[in-house]
Amino acid sequence: MENKNFTQEMITGAVRTHGTPLEIASAQMLACNLGRARDILARHGWQDNIFYSYKTNPVPEVLKILHQNGAGAEVISERELNLALDLGVKPGRIVFNGIYKSPAALKTAVQKGIKSINIDAPQELDILNDLSKSAKERISVGLRVRPSVGWQGQFGHVIRDGSARAMAKRIADNRMFKLETIHFHLGSSTAKTYRRAIDEALAFIKTINGKLGTDIQALDIGGGFPGKDMRLLTIWEQGWLRLFDRTWPAPLSGPNDGFEVLEEVVGYFKQAKDEFGLGHLELWAEPGRLITGDAQVLAVKVVGLRRSGRKNYAIVDAGRVGAAGPLVGETRKVSVLGKADGHRERYDVVGPTCMPWDRLFAGASLPRLNIGDIICIHGAGAYFVPMETEFSFDRPKLVLIEG
């Protein structure tokens, strides 16, 4: 199936029927993105090892499409775990991550026998130790480790200082646990960063297999694969915006192609695991924005235009406060429905609330706007919905279209 971008007709039809602000998700694009990722892993027989990150876009209609096309579920909370089970996801297709897993959620995960409970915070192990006393079968657990690259802080157990090995030993000491998975999550990263993290994780796996007698079966790589039509603002862009209240004036390269990054990472893992003598090891991937990011558009309507000082303001019916939280540190492709060419002006595109920071874009170059124009924010399938609020206004509606 060919993956097609949103067309003007698709967006116009949805807006005409449902109004604005409106999230528009494409079932075809969701299926195609997932299919493309599965094809990359299928070269090594791992096509069923994709576990979609629920936190990226926890919309049941979207999740159903992904599960129907072969995705498992990656969840980080009791609510997400219950949602996956309610959607009919088989326990063996659910991976449980996150730095806080409630006792009730851990109990459910153990009782249902999900694929892996990846231990992060130390107190999770204490809860699981208690639950294991009455468990009828061994519990499948993983361990989140922290390589020297990627997210640091409160996440995972550090490999270099021995913390990860100490936690692995605590897990291995309980014979009711099956420690079969090592997990890391780097955040948005390049293939080079992934290669370094993979090397450190594989060295760790080889060590604990030899020293602790574990038999690790999989390396679970969390998220971080960039999506189309979106990227993080660089530190220079954020600083410039803070100092001068304008966007960075120099042209910047677009985001890396997340599918190319995934393909390079999978190929490197296959080569590296054999070099480490871990030929049996599988790769799991937990993409979020790569799968749903460009498969959704947020359509907002221009409801006011004004000039104040030296700036043109376009007021729209949903802003960063309420509808587009990720824009605080990210940027997206933006277009105006039916106005691709013509005279352009610079606008601060702002939302309808009484908050000065309710701004979608600063100094965006757009075709000359009129009241009633529809502005389309592409790449809205990554974190827009879960970060929505009802601050003064209703949340945007969401519609799933077949095209």
Side-chain angles (χ1 to χ4, degrees), residues 3-7 10-11 14-15 18 21-31 33 52 57-66 291-299 377-382 384-385 388 396-403:
N3 195 356
K4 298 180 180 179
N5 293 325
F6 284 93
T7 65
M10 291 163 58
I11 298 173
V15 168
H18 301 281
L22 183 66
E23 293 275 9
I24 308 166
S26 165
Q28 183 193 74
M29 294 178 71
L30 290 167
N33 284 346
Y52 177 74
N57 197 337
V59 177
E61 292 80 3
V62 168
L63 298 174
K64 287 177 184 178
I65 294 292
L66 299 180
I291 305 300
T292 57
D294 69 335
Q296 197 161 298
V297 168
L298 172 62
I377 302 166
H378 302 259
F384 273 49
V385 170
E388 288 175 356
K397 298 177 183 176
L398 187 141
V399 59
L400 181 69
I401 60 176
E402 293 301 319

Side-chain angles (χ1 to χ4, degrees), residues 39-47 263 266-267 270-271 273:
D39 287 345
I40 292 172
L41 272 73
R43 298 165 196 169
H44 309 287
W46 302 327
Q47 62 274 10
E263 187 167 13
V266 171
K270 175 63 169 64
Q271 172 189 337
K273 76 183 182 73

Side-chain angles (χ1 to χ4, degrees), residues 147 149 159 184 186 192-202:
V149 292
I159 294 176
F184 66 70
L186 306 182
K192 180 179 179 181
T193 306
Y194 272 110
R195 289 195 297 269
R196 183 169 172 179
I198 286 171
D199 284 343
E200 293 180 18
L202 292 177

Side-chain angles (χ1 to χ4, degrees), residues 117-330:
I117 304 170
N118 290 341
I119 295 173
D120 194 332
Q123 61 269 19
E124 295 170 2
L125 183 56
D126 297 331
I127 298 171
L128 286 175
N129 276 325
D130 287 340
L131 290 170
S132 71
K133 296 174 183 177
S134 58
K136 297 180 180 179
E137 297 181 355
R138 297 180 71 194
I139 303 167
S140 295
V141 299
L143 174 64
R144 180 171 180 171
V145 300
R146 189 197 308 171
S148 61
V149 292
W151 284 355
Q152 301 294 309
Q154 69 269 38
F155 302 107
H157 300 269
V158 180
I159 294 176
R160 283 189 171 181
D161 69 1
S163 300
R165 180 173 171 179
M167 182 59 73
K169 185 179 186 308
R170 287 185 60 195
I171 297 171
D173 285 344
N174 187 331
R175 297 195 177 187
M176 286 302 295
F177 293 150
K178 292 187 295 182
L179 176 56
E180 296 181 333
T181 307
I182 296 301
H183 166 63
F184 66 70
H185 188 119
L186 306 182
S188 296
S189 300
T190 64
K192 180 179 179 181
T193 306
Y194 272 110
R195 289 195 297 269
R196 183 169 172 179
I198 286 171
D199 284 343
E200 293 180 18
L202 292 177
F204 174 74
I205 291 170
K206 187 170 184 178
T207 296
I208 64 170
N209 278 352
K211 299 292 185 179
L212 303 180
T214 56
D215 184 19
I216 305 300
Q217 298 293 311
L219 177 61
D220 177 11
I221 294 179
F225 300 103
K228 187 179 178 184
D229 296 333
M230 66 193 76
R231 64 175 176 80
L232 297 175
L233 295 174
T234 66
I235 188 171
W236 304 110
E237 288 177 285
Q238 294 186 54
W240 189 272
L241 185 62
R242 182 177 294 273
L243 286 173
F244 301 106
D245 203 31
R246 307 311 306 141
T247 54
W248 181 255
L252 290 164
S253 59
N256 295 324
D257 185 316
F259 289 103
E260 291 180 1
V261 174
L262 177 62
E263 187 167 13
E264 185 172 343
V265 167
V266 171
Y268 183 80
F269 171 80
K270 175 63 169 64
Q271 172 189 337
K273 76 183 182 73
D274 292 339
E275 292 175 354
F276 274 89
L278 298 167
H280 68 287
L281 208 63
E282 290 188 354
L283 183 71
W284 299 355
E286 299 169 353
R289 66 177 70 229
L290 178 67
I291 305 300
T292 57
D294 69 335
Q296 197 161 298
V297 168
L298 172 62
V300 296
K301 182 168 63 177
V302 177
V303 295
L305 293 166
R306 65 182 301 176
R307 185 169 180 84
S308 181
R310 296 182 178 181
K311 293 183 182 180
N312 292 318
Y313 290 91
I315 304 167
V316 296
D317 56 2
R320 196 178 86 195
V321 174
L327 293 185
V328 67
E330 301 178 3

